[in-house]
Coordinates of all heavy atoms in Angstrom, one line a residue:
K1 N 102.6 -59.6 29.3 CA 102.7 -60.6 30.3 C 102.6 -62.0 29.7 O 101.5 -62.3 29.2 CB 101.6 -60.4 31.4 CG 101.7 -59.1 32.1 CD 100.8 -58.9 33.3 CE 101.1 -57.6 34.0 NZ 100.4 -57.5 35.2
P2 N 103.7 -62.7 29.6 CA 103.7 -64.0 29.0 C 102.9 -65.0 29.9 O 102.9 -64.9 31.1 CB 105.2 -64.4 28.9 CG 105.8 -63.6 30.0 CD 105.0 -62.4 30.2
I3 N 102.3 -66.0 29.2 CA 101.7 -67.1 29.9 C 102.7 -68.2 29.9 O 103.2 -68.7 28.8 CB 100.4 -67.6 29.2 CG1 99.4 -66.5 29.2 CG2 99.9 -68.8 29.8 CD1 98.2 -66.8 28.3
R4 N 103.1 -68.7 31.1 CA 104.1 -69.7 31.2 C 103.5 -71.1 31.3 O 102.4 -71.2 31.8 CB 105.0 -69.5 32.4 CG 105.9 -68.3 32.2 CD 106.8 -68.0 33.4 NE 107.6 -69.2 33.7 CZ 108.5 -69.3 34.6 NH1 108.7 -68.2 35.4 NH2 109.2 -70.3 34.8
D5 N 104.1 -72.1 30.7 CA 103.6 -73.4 30.8 C 103.6 -73.8 32.3 O 104.6 -73.6 33.0 CB 104.6 -74.3 30.0 CG 104.1 -75.8 29.9 OD1 103.3 -76.2 30.8 OD2 104.5 -76.4 29.0
P6 N 102.5 -74.4 32.8 CA 102.5 -74.8 34.2 C 103.7 -75.7 34.6 O 104.1 -75.6 35.8 CB 101.2 -75.5 34.4 CG 100.4 -75.2 33.2 CD 101.3 -74.7 32.1
W7 N 104.2 -76.5 33.7 CA 105.3 -77.4 34.1 C 106.6 -76.6 34.3 O 107.4 -77.0 35.1 CB 105.5 -78.5 33.0 CG 104.5 -79.6 33.1 CD1 103.4 -79.8 32.4 CD2 104.5 -80.6 34.1 NE1 102.7 -80.9 32.8 CE2 103.3 -81.4 33.9 CE3 105.3 -80.9 35.2 CZ2 103.0 -82.5 34.7 CZ3 104.9 -81.9 36.0 CH2 103.8 -82.7 35.8
V8 N 106.7 -75.5 33.7 CA 107.9 -74.6 33.9 C 107.9 -74.2 35.4 O 108.9 -74.2 36.0 CB 107.9 -73.4 32.9 CG1 109.0 -72.4 33.3 CG2 108.1 -73.9 31.5
N9 N 106.7 -73.8 35.9 CA 106.6 -73.4 37.3 C 107.0 -74.5 38.3 O 107.3 -74.3 39.4 CB 105.2 -72.9 37.6 CG 104.9 -71.6 36.8 OD1 105.8 -70.9 36.4 ND2 103.7 -71.3 36.6
V10 N 106.9 -75.8 37.8 CA 107.2 -76.9 38.7 C 108.6 -77.4 38.4 O 109.4 -77.6 39.4 CB 106.2 -78.1 38.4 CG1 106.6 -79.3 39.2 CG2 104.8 -77.7 38.8
L11 N 109.0 -77.6 37.2 CA 110.3 -78.2 36.8 C 111.5 -77.3 37.1 O 112.5 -77.8 37.5 CB 110.3 -78.6 35.4 CG 109.4 -79.8 35.0 CD1 109.4 -80.1 33.5 CD2 109.8 -81.0 35.8
V12 N 111.4 -76.0 36.9 CA 112.5 -75.1 37.1 C 112.9 -75.1 38.6 O 114.1 -75.3 38.9 CB 112.2 -73.7 36.5 CG1 113.3 -72.7 37.0 CG2 112.1 -73.7 35.0
P13 N 111.9 -74.8 39.5 CA 112.3 -74.8 40.9 C 112.8 -76.2 41.4 O 113.7 -76.3 42.1 CB 111.1 -74.4 41.7 CG 110.2 -73.7 40.7 CD 110.6 -74.3 39.3
L14 N 112.1 -77.3 40.9 CA 112.5 -78.6 41.2 C 113.9 -79.0 40.8 O 114.7 -79.5 41.5 CB 111.5 -79.6 40.7 CG 111.7 -81.1 41.0 CD1 111.6 -81.3 42.5 CD2 110.7 -82.0 40.3
T15 N 114.2 -78.6 39.6 CA 115.6 -78.9 39.0 C 116.6 -78.1 39.8 O 117.7 -78.6 40.2 CB 115.7 -78.5 37.5 OG1 114.7 -79.3 36.8 CG2 117.0 -78.8 36.9
G16 N 116.3 -76.8 40.1 CA 117.2 -76.0 40.9 C 117.4 -76.6 42.3 O 118.6 -76.6 42.8
G17 N 116.4 -77.0 42.9 CA 116.5 -77.7 44.2 C 117.3 -78.9 44.2 O 118.1 -79.2 45.1
L18 N 117.1 -79.8 43.2 CA 117.9 -81.0 43.0 C 119.4 -80.7 42.8 O 120.2 -81.4 43.4 CB 117.3 -81.9 41.9 CG 116.0 -82.5 42.2 CD1 115.5 -83.2 40.9 CD2 116.1 -83.5 43.3
L19 N 119.7 -79.7 42.0 CA 121.1 -79.4 41.7 C 121.7 -78.8 43.0 O 122.9 -79.1 43.3 CB 121.2 -78.3 40.6 CG 120.8 -78.9 39.2 CD1 120.8 -77.7 38.2 CD2 121.8 -80.0 38.8
A20 N 121.0 -78.0 43.7 CA 121.5 -77.4 45.0 C 121.7 -78.5 46.0 O 122.8 -78.6 46.7 CB 120.6 -76.4 45.5
G21 N 120.8 -79.4 46.1 CA 120.9 -80.6 47.0 C 122.1 -81.4 46.7 O 122.9 -81.9 47.6
A22 N 122.3 -81.7 45.4 CA 123.5 -82.5 45.0 C 124.8 -81.8 45.3 O 125.8 -82.4 45.7 CB 123.4 -82.8 43.5
A23 N 124.8 -80.5 45.1 CA 126.0 -79.7 45.4 C 126.3 -79.8 46.9 O 127.5 -79.9 47.3 CB 125.9 -78.3 45.0
I24 N 125.3 -79.7 47.7 CA 125.5 -79.7 49.2 C 126.0 -81.1 49.6 O 126.9 -81.3 50.4 CB 124.2 -79.4 49.9 CG1 123.9 -77.9 49.7 CG2 124.2 -79.7 51.4 CD1 122.5 -77.5 50.2
L25 N 125.4 -82.2 49.1 CA 125.8 -83.5 49.4 C 127.3 -83.8 48.9 O 128.0 -84.4 49.7 CB 124.9 -84.6 48.7 CG 123.5 -84.7 49.3 CD1 122.6 -85.6 48.5 CD2 123.6 -85.2 50.8
R26 N 127.6 -83.3 47.8 CA 129.0 -83.4 47.3 C 130.0 -82.7 48.3 O 131.0 -83.2 48.6 CB 129.1 -82.9 45.9 CG 130.5 -83.2 45.3 CD 130.6 -82.7 43.8 NE 129.4 -83.0 43.1 CZ 129.0 -82.2 42.1 NH1 129.8 -81.2 41.7 NH2 127.9 -82.5 41.4
Y27 N 129.6 -81.5 48.7 CA 130.4 -80.7 49.6 C 130.6 -81.5 50.9 O 131.7 -81.6 51.4 CB 129.8 -79.3 49.8 CG 130.5 -78.6 50.9 CD1 131.7 -77.9 50.7 CD2 129.9 -78.5 52.2 CE1 132.3 -77.2 51.7 CE2 130.5 -77.8 53.2 CZ 131.7 -77.2 53.0 OH 132.4 -76.5 54.0
L28 N 129.5 -82.0 51.4 CA 129.5 -82.7 52.7 C 130.4 -84.0 52.6 O 131.1 -84.4 53.5 CB 128.1 -83.1 53.2 CG 127.3 -81.8 53.7 CD1 125.9 -82.3 54.0 CD2 127.9 -81.1 54.8
A29 N 130.3 -84.7 51.5 CA 131.0 -85.9 51.3 C 132.5 -85.6 51.2 O 133.4 -86.3 51.8 CB 130.6 -86.6 50.0
R30 N 132.9 -84.5 50.5 CA 134.3 -84.1 50.5 C 134.8 -83.7 51.8 O 136.0 -84.0 52.2 CB 134.5 -83.0 49.5 CG 134.4 -83.4 48.1 CD 134.7 -82.2 47.1 NE 134.5 -82.6 45.8 CZ 134.4 -81.7 44.8 NH1 134.5 -80.4 45.0 NH2 134.2 -82.2 43.6
R31 N 134.0 -83.0 52.6 CA 134.4 -82.5 53.9 C 134.6 -83.7 54.9 O 135.5 -83.7 55.7 CB 133.4 -81.6 54.4 CG 133.8 -80.8 55.6 CD 132.9 -79.6 55.8 NE 133.4 -78.8 56.8 CZ 132.8 -78.1 57.7 NH1 131.5 -78.2 57.7 NH2 133.4 -77.4 58.6
G32 N 133.7 -84.7 54.7 CA 133.8 -85.9 55.6 C 135.1 -86.7 55.4 O 135.5 -87.4 56.2
R33 N 135.7 -86.6 54.2 CA 136.9 -87.4 53.9 C 138.1 -86.8 54.5 O 139.1 -87.4 54.7 CB 137.1 -87.4 52.4 CG 136.1 -88.4 51.7 CD 136.6 -88.6 50.2 NE 135.4 -88.3 49.4 CZ 135.5 -87.9 48.1 NH1 136.6 -87.7 47.6 NH2 134.4 -87.8 47.4

């Protein structure tokens, strides 16, 4: 059982959420045009 760096538990989900949010905004912006 590896010990993960606490920042990994914060940064990985946060980065994934930001990327998903950016993709949704890009999709909505294209759709609105």
Side-chain angles (χ1 to χ4, degrees):
K1 298 190 177 188
I3 297 173
R4 292 180 57 178
D5 186 338
W7 281 105
V8 171
N9 294 336
V10 172
L11 292 178
V12 170
L14 182 61
T15 303
L18 289 173
L19 290 173
I24 291 170
L25 289 174
R26 189 176 319 149
Y27 171 77
L28 292 174
R30 286 183 185 166
R31 193 166 187 213
R33 285 191 232 157

